Amino acid sequence: MKSSGTLRRAVTVAAVLLTALVVGDPGALAAPGAPNRAAAARAAGLESSIEDRVRAAAIVGVVAPDSWLVLNERDFVFQLWQNATNLPEVRGSAELALMNSSADDFVECTVFIESGINDARDRDVANEVRDATAAREARELKQRALITVQMQVTPELLLLADREFVYEIYRGPTGPRVKAAALTAFGGTAQQQRDFITTGIAQAREQDRLAEIAADQERTEAERQALVAREQRIAAAAVLGVAADEGKLVLSDVNFVRWVWNTAPEPTEVYAAAEAALRSNDPADWRAFITTGIHAADERDRQAALKKKAEEYRVIIRGIEARAEAAGQGNLARAARAALAGPDSELAPFVRVGQYQVSDNECANPVLGTDAAGWGRLSSSLVVTRQAVTDHPSAAWELGVANGAATTAGIYLPEQKVQPGAVWEVGADARANDPARLRMEIDWVDSAGVYLGHTNGGYLPVAGTRAFTRISGRFTVPAGAVRAKVLLRATELDANKGFAATMCAYKATPDADVKLSGTWADGTATAMWTTRRTDIIGWNVGRDGTDTRENGPWSTDRTTDISSHQFNLLKNGSWYSLILIPKTAAGPLTPLSISVRPGTAPPPGPEPEPGDSDGVTAAKRLNWGAPLAQHSDEFNYTGTPDPAKWSVGEGCWANQHAAGTRRCADRTTVADGKLIMTGLANGDTAWMQSDYSTRYGRWEARVRSRNTGTDNGRYFRTLLIVWPDDDIWPEEGEYDFLENTRTAAPCVNAVLHYPVKSGDTQQEHREKTDCRQPMSEWHNIGFEWTPDHVRGFIDGEQWFSISGGESSTRKAMQSMWRGHLTMQFDNFRGQNMTPGSYEAEWIRMYPV
């Protein structure tokens, strides 16, 4: 089975491919007359053979069909990439081959098929072995610790995380000094917990036993010394991971040293120190080895192992840096260099977790400080120059454009990974030599590299004073898009005047203070907006493109009491950008844009694959992999929810949210291929808890809720929650990724509670306002919790994302220690309720 680290690597590299396919200078095509390397490769017989392709396909677990064997080199490598989901090094190498090749220049793909895939597979195997080795070493350390304090060694204890293991030591039958040291480590850092397991527990145990022996007044001094000698042998044997039996405890000193020498692995410092003691004829040397020498040698072995491990991690991180640089992932490359420059203790955290916490903001060279990587020109006729600046508050370089006679020019900024339904704000600081207008634009690309369409932002004025102006726009990602190709366009430029840009920055805005949505019909489109701001004095709403009368872009001002505008006489089948610019007394705010396509059909929602009764899922769209079978449930049985996966309690108990009502176990059952929770008119309702405890994970459930009796306006509440394992609330937070205050709610809601340091609960509320997914119908509600963020999905579309938010009174949103899923059909109103049901067709859980 793959380790969680391996799975995270696969998820992390999966989004890189589109960078390789579409990143770079749009005008930088092969020059006329350039050598055709593909023709040369064919002439030299350098295309991969059928046998090579069959072998390559087998590595990714596929018996190559005939349809693969006739593909061109790049398309064949793309098929390999799609099927290498559990081989992150193979997948990453395929991405690099695709990035460095084209339809006319595919030598890199041929090399990958013939030999590169084998090398990458070897690296995957090595990574898997490394992860397994790390897990084995951790188990061995825990085994030694348990032997030291004479606790029973069980598989359950050996598999615990370090912090949980320390807690079990604290709870165990140990002495006061061991307990005190365990308690300190439990509240400390991960390194302090590992140090306690490695050496601290043995030191504390020895102090406990020596104190016990010294306090035993009934023993003679000789008896006390004999007990001390026994304890020293127990501690020495524990270094080898052995619980010393009576036979070893009564050996003479020299024979005990001989046993250590025969048992210790060679070559190690422990082995060498035992051999050195045996070569001596002085009993004091034998005694010194047992009491202190073996432990000092063990510490030297530990330091040598740490040094070796650090160098292994440095090799891994250098590889991460190289691949990130090649893929244009500037943020990740810089983070890798910072890890390499840091202490050894930070290397493993970066490899295991840190590399996955690097921001998704792919404006990878925000100040152009090193080069113009990721930046480009709209047209090959433009001349761009990376040039120093002295009058920007933070940037030292900008990219300047010489426009010649062109009145319109553009700069491509670094691209950005996106998800359908998300709202991204993209921007850059810009200036022009004379007054002009600038706007942000985005080309959308799907997972196969296919261009999906274009969305324009609103033009903002640049005064021409050479002062920098922030040009930005907010864009809603259309269905199917996974990559945003960002363009900064300037218009109304005077000849030979040009413009320049620097400091690009992108951020997701799941809780924008102004929200824009759009819908369309036959020949029309409607923009709708909401805001929670109080300083808006008006709106400018418009569209781009031309209508059926060939009238071009058009806009109008609207007063603050207006929240929608319909555009008529539009061309069916043509894409339009609807653009909203909020206005305040201080000036215009960031323009918002959304794409629409008028037609006789209604606006499409995400569609399931043919024959897929699950609908559209985040798991499939985002390649979460296979669900955890031991914790997920398809509810294809009848009766009580599977007790190996769920707890529903026993009988009935008081509901703390509504006096006089109860939660009852028999209100939750499985029948007709689904889980059914019922709420009764008397207020009794249902609750269920998963046994799957984790720190970070992914969950998705196909659910609906309905009123089943006379509607009296008093409804049950439907919830899907990741609840903290230790039940400490609000200190550990709470993730209600579905919390609708009524059965059959027209829109989905969520409430996310920060883990708090002091004060009452602090939370973020999210509400989906377009109401395209009434909860009386089946919908897939997904949730992702990583070290970097928490995100919510409905029918495969992201609808919120929250990260950080720490303050003096709360921790970062994503910092809950551990949690588990609960599904609740809850009552906050009391008795005399509208009867209802809350159902799930399946609930699936995935690792991060």
Side-chain angles (χ1 to χ4, degrees):
M1 178 179 292
K2 294 282 184 184
S3 71
S4 59
T6 302
L7 290 170
R8 284 196 298 272
R9 284 194 298 275
V11 171
T12 300
V13 300
V16 176
L17 177 60
L18 268 300
T19 305
L21 295 180
V22 299
V23 76
D25 185 345
L29 300 178
N36 188 327
R37 295 179 66 191
R42 293 189 192 98
L46 295 180
E47 285 193 64
S48 60
S49 67
I50 296 296
E51 292 78 8
D52 289 329
R53 292 189 172 205
V54 170
R55 282 194 291 268
I59 286 175
V60 299
V62 176
V63 177
D66 290 344
S67 59
W68 283 30
L69 300 178
V70 297
L71 292 172
N72 64 45
E73 298 285 85
R74 292 187 84 246
D75 288 348
F76 181 76
V77 172
F78 185 74
Q79 291 291 342
L80 296 175
W81 176 84
Q82 286 186 309
N83 286 273
T85 54
N86 291 322
L87 297 168
E89 292 291 338
V90 170
R91 197 167 168 87
S93 296
E95 290 160 7
L96 293 179
L98 288 165
M99 181 181 67
N100 293 311
S101 64
S102 67
D104 296 319
D105 184 359
F106 51 74
V107 172
E108 294 289 344
C109 286
T110 302
V111 172
F112 173 77
I113 296 167
E114 292 178 343
S115 62
I117 191 171
N118 296 297
D119 296 337
R121 188 264 313 276
D122 291 343
R123 293 195 298 274
D124 277 317
V125 172
N127 288 339
E128 199 165 346
V129 170
R130 188 193 71 245
D131 290 344
T133 300
R136 175 181 54 77
E137 291 171 350
R139 291 194 300 271
E140 290 173 352
L141 286 174
K142 292 181 175 69
Q143 178 176 328
R144 263 173 60 174
L146 291 169
I147 291 171
T148 297
V149 293
Q150 296 181 311
M151 288 176 61
Q152 183 179 1
V153 178
T154 66
E156 292 78 12
L157 288 174
L158 296 181
L159 293 175
L160 288 176
D162 285 353
R163 188 169 187 265
E164 295 168 336
F165 180 81
V166 170
Y167 180 67
E168 291 303 319
I169 294 292
Y170 170 78
R171 293 179 57 203
T174 57
R177 290 163 182 79
V178 171
K179 286 187 180 293
L183 188 60
T184 299
F186 181 76
T189 65
Q191 187 60 50
Q192 288 170 323
Q193 290 151 16
R194 178 54 59 91
D195 289 344
F196 170 76
I197 296 169
T198 305
T199 59
I201 193 171
Q203 296 166 358
R205 160 71 179 182
E206 183 176 6
Q207 292 168 1
D208 272 329
R209 295 298 289 146
L210 291 176
E212 291 172 11
I213 293 169
D216 190 347
Q217 299 300 318
E218 296 183 1
R219 297 185 186 274
T220 66
E221 183 60 27
E223 289 173 332
R224 291 194 191 100
Q225 291 302 319
L227 285 174
V228 169
R230 286 175 65 89
E231 289 300 320
Q232 290 169 342
R233 292 191 180 198
I234 290 172
V239 168
L240 302 176
V242 176
D245 56 27
E246 190 64 28
K248 296 179 182 62
L249 296 177
V250 298
L251 287 172
S252 65
D253 285 351
V254 69
N255 284 332
F256 185 85
V257 175
R258 183 177 290 110
W259 171 76
V260 172
W261 182 61
N262 288 326
T263 306
E266 182 184 3
T268 61
E269 290 291 328
V270 169
Y271 177 90
E275 184 175 50
L278 282 176
R279 291 185 184 279
S280 171
N281 292 320
D282 188 349
D285 290 338
W286 308 333
R287 168 58 49 189
F289 172 78
I290 296 170
T291 57
T292 60
I294 189 173
H295 300 291
D298 183 50
E299 178 61 20
R300 293 194 296 274
D301 279 326
R302 187 171 78 93
Q303 293 301 327
L306 289 174
K307 184 176 180 180
K308 179 181 178 183
K309 184 66 70 175
E311 185 51 41
E312 291 174 357
Y313 282 127
R314 290 186 184 278
V315 171
I316 294 168
I317 295 172
R318 291 186 194 106
I320 293 171
E321 178 193 9
R323 290 190 294 274
E325 287 285 8
Q329 295 177 287
N331 288 349
L332 181 56
R334 283 189 291 275
R337 286 193 289 272
L340 289 169
D344 288 352
S345 60
E346 296 301 318
L347 299 174
F350 177 80
V351 171
R352 298 182 186 281
V353 177
Q355 63 171 308
Y356 309 108
Q357 294 177 316
V358 177
S359 171
D360 285 339
N361 181 351
E362 292 181 18
C363 190
N365 194 357
V367 293
L368 296 164
T370 303
D371 51 42
W375 299 64
R377 53 190 173 173
L378 176 61
S379 168
S380 59
S381 64
L382 298 172
V383 177
V384 294
T385 305
R386 174 177 165 267
Q387 54 202 25
V389 296
T390 58
D391 50 354
H392 189 281
S394 57
W397 298 87
E398 66 182 0
L399 197 71
V401 174
N403 64 307
T407 59
T408 297
I411 294 174
Y412 275 102
L413 278 59
E415 298 178 5
Q416 174 61 47
K417 291 181 294 186
V418 294
Q419 291 179 325
V423 177
W424 277 85
E425 181 171 327
V426 300
D429 290 346
R431 60 182 176 182
N433 291 315
D434 284 295
R437 294 191 301 144
L438 280 77
R439 74 182 181 192
M440 305 304 304
E441 303 177 6
I442 291 182
D443 289 337
W444 306 106
V445 182
D446 71 9
S447 60
V450 176
Y451 170 80
L452 296 178
H454 183 88
T455 305
N456 292 326
Y459 276 114
L460 295 174
V462 174
T465 62
R466 296 298 289 162
F468 284 95
T469 299
R470 190 66 177 176
I471 305 298
S472 59
R474 285 182 181 168
F475 300 85
T476 300
V477 182
V482 301
R483 201 83 191 169
K485 192 172 184 179
V486 182
L487 176 72
L488 175 63
R489 185 188 296 269
T491 192
E492 299 177 6
L493 293 169
D494 290 339
N496 299 308
K497 293 297 183 180
F499 76 108
T502 188
M503 282 302 293
C504 64
Y506 311 151
K507 70 175 181 178
T509 57
D511 191 28
D513 50 15
V514 179
K515 298 180 180 180
L516 174 67
S517 59
T519 188
W520 61 88
D522 185 6
T524 68
T526 301
M528 300 166 286
W529 57 90
T530 61
T531 186
R532 63 171 184 262
R533 296 183 66 118
T534 59
D535 60 342
I536 303 296
I537 61 172
W539 311 92
N540 181 270
V541 59
R543 61 155 177 83
D544 65 358
T546 57
D547 61 18
T548 54
R549 297 180 179 180
E550 298 305 320
N551 292 321
W554 182 89
S555 65
T556 186
D557 289 331
R558 309 296 285 175
T559 56
T560 54
D561 58 323
I562 301 299
S563 59
S564 66
H565 183 85
Q566 180 172 306
F567 299 88
N568 299 311
L569 301 174
L570 302 183
K571 299 175 181 178
N572 285 341
S574 295
W575 284 102
Y576 293 88
S577 300
L578 306 186
I579 304 161
L580 178 73
I581 303 178
K583 297 190 293 184
T584 70
L589 301 178
T590 300
L592 293 86
S593 302
I594 194 167
S595 293
V596 295
R597 191 180 191 183
T600 55
E607 294 296 331
E609 297 175 4
D612 189 350
S613 61
D614 285 351
V616 179
T617 66
K620 288 185 179 179
R621 278 197 165 179
L622 303 178
N623 194 26
W624 286 356
L628 296 169
Q630 68 271 36
H631 302 300
S632 304
D633 206 330
E634 302 297 312
F635 302 117
N636 50 4
Y637 53 91
T638 300
T640 303
D642 186 347
K645 299 178 179 181
W646 308 102
S647 171
V648 295
E650 297 181 0
C652 295
W653 61 98
N655 173 19
Q656 61 180 334
H657 298 306
T661 67
R662 305 177 301 173
R663 288 175 172 171
C664 295
D666 61 4
R667 298 268 60 82
T668 303
T669 189
V670 179
D672 301 323
K674 59 182 178 287
L675 177 129
I676 305 169
M677 291 181 164
T678 53
L680 305 181
N682 68 0
D684 287 355
T685 187
W687 167 93
M688 182 174 74
Q689 171 180 291
S690 169
D691 74 337
Y692 175 47
S693 166
T694 183
R695 187 175 197 192
Y696 313 129
R698 298 182 175 107
W699 296 260
E700 194 162 22
R702 186 165 179 80
V703 296
R704 71 176 178 184
S705 62
R706 297 181 295 172
N707 294 316
T708 58
T710 302
D711 189 337
N712 63 9
R714 295 168 61 84
Y715 306 110
F716 292 100
R717 185 174 294 203
T718 56
L719 301 103
L720 290 168
I721 301 172
V722 174
W723 179 260
D725 280 355
D726 54 16
D727 287 328
I728 299 176
W729 186 93
E731 286 84 351
E732 283 298 331
E734 173 186 356
Y735 305 143
D736 301 42
F737 60 98
L738 172 68
E739 183 172 355
N740 282 344
T741 57
R742 57 168 295 176
T743 314
C747 268
V748 65
N749 285 264
V751 180
L752 293 304
H753 300 255
Y754 289 93
V756 302
K757 302 175 185 176
S758 62
D760 295 329
T761 180
Q762 301 171 53
Q763 61 194 32
E764 299 280 353
H765 176 236
R766 296 291 184 266
E767 178 180 7
K768 206 167 192 303
T769 57
D770 58 13
C771 294
R772 290 188 291 115
Q773 295 103 346
M775 298 310 296
S776 58
E777 301 172 357
W778 290 109
H779 292 289
N780 301 329
I781 308 299
F783 182 65
E784 178 181 73
W785 171 28
T786 76
D788 190 46
H789 59 250
V790 294
R791 298 195 297 186
F793 304 87
I794 181 166
D795 294 334
E797 291 184 350
Q798 177 182 307
W799 71 282
F800 71 79
S801 178
I802 304 171
S803 179
E806 57 267 51
S807 70
S808 60
T809 61
R810 68 193 188 198
K811 304 175 186 176
M813 174 63 78
Q814 66 271 18
S815 62
M816 181 190 292
W817 174 242
R818 291 184 71 86
H820 57 272
L821 178 72
T822 70
M823 179 175 175
Q824 298 172 204
F825 196 31
D826 221 338
N827 182 355
F828 280 66
R829 301 294 298 274
Q831 299 175 335
N832 187 29
M833 300 291 290
T834 300
S837 68
Y838 182 26
E839 302 170 340
E841 282 195 337
W842 45 259
I843 299 177
R844 297 167 185 163
M845 307 181 193
Y846 304 81
V848 167

